Amino acid sequence: MSQVKVAQSRPEDWAYLSEGGSTIVLSYTGPFHPNFTGKVLRLRKVSLKEASHDRFGTVDEEDDTVIAFQNTVIATLVPLEFLPDLDVVLLDAGWLAALEVLCNGDRPTERRAQDRIDKARKKGILATDLIGGDVLAIEIKVQS
């Protein structure tokens, strides 16, 4: 997938799915779109103590390490046909701000008190949506 921009979709076409300590995950629920249908959007979060809005566009950002981890480690253990697609998506601060307003009410209160979507990020991840299908999903991730 080449240079997909999240702004090719509407913020209201994404629904809050879940989150962890460092990311929030949203599921695409809008009309058919070749880049977004059947996908989830994984976005990095930032502590409320950080002023990420002041650094948008100034962060020289590599692709998310989760993609490299899948390609270099997991792909040696699990056949490729059993792995979800992971693709970089280009972000837009205004689009992310609108998304945050729409999904904040669905987030747990304790999470909203600690962090928010990092609107300074220029890249996110689009991944295969494995929720609700006829699949068995197992998460393998590095803990630091």
Side-chain angles (χ1 to χ4, degrees):
M1 194 179 291
S2 63
Q3 301 300 303
V4 173
K5 297 177 182 173
V6 74
Q8 294 170 332
S9 67
R10 302 175 316 152
E12 53 270 20
D13 290 338
W14 295 89
Y16 174 85
L17 189 59
S18 67
E19 63 188 285
S22 63
T23 61
I24 185 168
V25 180
L26 302 111
S27 180
Y28 183 74
T29 59
F32 176 81
H33 192 286
N35 295 322
F36 303 120
T37 298
K39 300 288 185 174
V40 294
L41 177 61
R42 182 178 180 269
L43 300 171
R44 291 284 178 179
K45 299 188 305 182
V46 64
S47 166
L48 291 178
K49 297 174 186 171
E50 286 189 47
S52 68
H53 61 279
D54 294 334
R55 56 188 180 88
F56 185 78
T58 63
V59 179
D60 187 22
E61 191 173 315
E62 299 282 327
D63 290 350
D64 198 298
T65 56
V66 79
I67 294 174
F69 181 70
Q70 176 169 301
N71 292 341
T72 59
V73 177
I74 302 300
T76 65
L77 304 170
V78 179
L80 292 177
E81 64 265 20
F82 297 118
L83 296 177
D85 291 332
L86 297 178
D87 298 298
V88 172
V89 63
L90 301 179
L91 304 175
D92 173 85
W95 190 96
L96 290 173
L99 177 71
E100 187 171 59
V101 168
L102 291 169
C103 75
N104 248 358
D106 295 325
R107 296 183 65 211
T109 305
E110 62 275 5
R111 295 278 191 185
R112 287 194 318 262
Q114 295 176 3
D115 51 39
R116 64 175 188 246
I117 293 172
D118 187 349
K119 294 181 283 298
R121 293 280 179 162
K122 296 184 281 184
K123 297 176 181 177
I125 294 179
L126 280 178
T128 305
D129 189 347
L130 301 174
I131 303 296
D134 289 335
V135 296
L136 171 64
I138 300 170
E139 182 179 29
I140 303 171
K141 64 182 184 178
V142 176
Q143 293 291 317
S144 51

